[in-house]
């Protein structure tokens, strides 16, 4: 289904790393997320843009690979991180990841990105969409 959706593209720059973004800027795109993709390219991610600042929950239903999830505030500063979130196949046993702080954006990247890049709470991404 995600192949029939058209995503705006953008970039998220962190230090010297640049992540090519698929922008999930509608409810449908956010509901589908990365669920029917086999993988993300090495420097690829998905940016969820929410209309409000809130503690937006993410789950991994029908995903095929693990990811790192970063919640960003309106200034694109990291407010919360979940590393190596694992896929799940059943709604009944699928954990929901929810930050303890409000955010405006959620950035999903390949598992290991946070560790390799040294991302910490409070760090800022330069996002262009």
């Amino acid at each position: 289904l995600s192949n029939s959706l058209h995503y705006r593209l953008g970039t998220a720059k962190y230090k010297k790393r640049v992540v090519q973004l698929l922008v999930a800027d509608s409810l449908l795109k956010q509901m589908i997320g990365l669920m029917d993709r086999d993988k993300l390219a090495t420097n690829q991610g998905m940016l969820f843009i929410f209309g409000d600042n809130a503690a937006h929950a993410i789950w991994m239903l029908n995903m095929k690979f693990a990811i790192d999830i970063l919640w960003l505030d309106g200034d694109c500063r990291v407010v919360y991180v979940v590393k190596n979130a694992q896929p799940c196949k059943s709604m009944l046993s699928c954990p929901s990841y929810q930050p303890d702080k409000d955010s405006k954006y959620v950035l999903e990247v390949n598992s290991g990105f946070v560790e390799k890049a040294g991302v910490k709470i409070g760090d800022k991404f330069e996002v262009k969409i």
Side-chain angles (χ1 to χ4, degrees):
L1 181 60
S2 70
N3 293 336
S4 64
L5 295 173
H6 295 285
Y7 290 86
R8 282 193 300 156
L9 302 177
T11 58
K13 188 175 177 189
Y14 177 75
K15 296 182 180 173
K16 293 183 178 178
R17 294 176 185 263
V18 177
V19 178
Q20 302 300 319
L21 299 174
L22 298 167
V23 180
D25 53 3
S26 72
L27 183 59
L28 180 60
K29 290 175 191 171
Q30 291 166 1
M31 286 172 49
I32 294 169
L34 296 171
M35 75 168 44
D36 60 349
R37 294 175 185 270
D38 290 325
K39 62 180 181 163
L40 279 171
T42 303
N43 292 312
Q44 191 177 38
M46 182 171 278
L47 182 71
F48 294 73
I49 300 177
F50 297 103
D52 60 340
N53 280 311
H56 300 285
I58 300 290
W59 69 347
M60 302 287 293
L61 185 65
N62 294 327
M63 287 274 298
K64 297 178 181 174
F65 54 96
I67 58 171
D68 289 348
I69 309 168
L70 301 97
W71 283 260
L72 311 174
D73 66 14
D75 293 325
C76 295
R77 289 193 185 279
V78 179
V79 297
Y80 195 79
V81 173
V82 170
K83 294 187 234 177
N84 200 32
Q86 295 296 313
C88 59
K89 297 293 178 211
S90 166
M91 279 196 228
L92 301 175
S93 63
C94 196
S96 181
Y97 301 98
Q98 190 161 15
D100 57 6
K101 294 199 169 53
D102 288 351
S103 66
K104 182 162 177 118
Y105 308 102
V106 170
L107 175 59
E108 296 182 346
V109 290
N110 281 309
S111 182
F113 176 88
V114 168
E115 221 34 66
K116 288 179 201 148
V119 179
K120 308 253 185 307
I121 301 294
D123 286 353
K124 186 170 176 143
F125 278 76
E126 185 183 319
V127 176
K128 292 185 179 170
I129 49 173

